[in-house]
Amino acid sequence: MVLVFYPFDFHPACTEQWCSLRDADWLTLLEDIVVLGVGSDRAYAHREHADKHNIQFPLLSDTDGQVSQAYGVLTEEFENHRDVPRRATFVVDGDGVVQFAWSARSPDEQPDLDALRKATNCRDDQCAIDESEGSV
C-alpha cells in the first residue's frame, strides 16, 4: 500500500505531486499495490480535485487528523491552517512494515519516484527502509 499524505486539494505542490503519481504508469500496473491519498479536506473537495486532474486513486478525508498523527505527519500549523498533514509518502507492506518513508522539507520538494518504485517492488524484509533514500 502507498499512503500519500497532503495538506490540501488544489494546493500547487500537492497538485504537482498527485499529477506526477498519476503519470507514473508503473504505479497503476502493480496489481498488489493500492495507492491511497490522505488529506484534510472533505470528500467533496477531494472529488473536485480528482476530477479536475484525472486522479484515479482514492482520496480519503482525515478531517480530525488521527491518521496523520498516527503516521507522525500532522502539523500544528501550515499556511494559517491548524492540524493538517504535511506532504509525506509511505509504502507499507502486507505485514504493516514501512518499506519507504518520505516527507517534504520544503513546499517545492517532491518525492523520489525511483526510490518509491523500488520500495513498491519489495517483498518480505529485502528492502527495509534505507534512511539515505527517504525518511520522515
Side-chain angles (χ1 to χ4, degrees):
M1 171 175 50
V2 178
L3 287 175
V4 181
F5 290 87
Y6 65 106
F8 311 115
D9 295 312
F10 301 103
H11 186 281
C14 301
T15 300
E16 180 182 348
Q17 181 175 352
W18 275 114
C19 289
S20 69
L21 291 170
R22 174 201 65 205
D23 295 342
D25 294 335
W26 58 268
L27 197 53
T28 59
L29 297 174
L30 297 170
E31 292 181 17
D32 59 341
I33 297 291
V34 174
V35 178
L36 300 172
V38 182
S40 61
D41 288 323
R42 298 202 181 272
Y44 178 77
H46 287 336
R47 175 56 36 218
E48 289 292 317
H49 183 64
D51 288 348
K52 181 175 182 176
H53 298 288
N54 194 29
I55 298 166
Q56 301 298 311
F57 306 115
L59 304 178
L60 310 176
S61 295
D62 185 25
T63 55
D64 63 4
Q66 288 186 9
V67 177
S68 301
Q69 187 168 4
Y71 277 85
V73 298
L74 188 67
T75 62
E76 290 183 21
E77 191 274 329
F78 178 75
E79 295 187 1
N80 297 319
H81 291 72
R82 295 188 48 77
D83 298 327
V84 298
R86 69 177 174 268
R87 287 187 315 109
T89 303
F90 296 88
V91 174
V92 182
D93 70 16
D95 295 322
V97 176
V98 174
Q99 296 290 346
F100 174 85
W102 170 86
S103 179
R105 294 180 200 106
S106 72
D108 296 332
E109 186 179 9
Q110 294 294 325
D112 179 347
L113 293 183
D114 288 333
L116 179 61
R117 183 177 188 169
K118 177 182 174 187
T120 60
N121 288 313
C122 291
R123 300 296 178 263
D124 302 320
D125 289 334
Q126 71 175 345
C127 294
I129 291 178
D130 179 351
E131 294 296 331
S132 67
E133 288 185 14
S135 62
V136 176

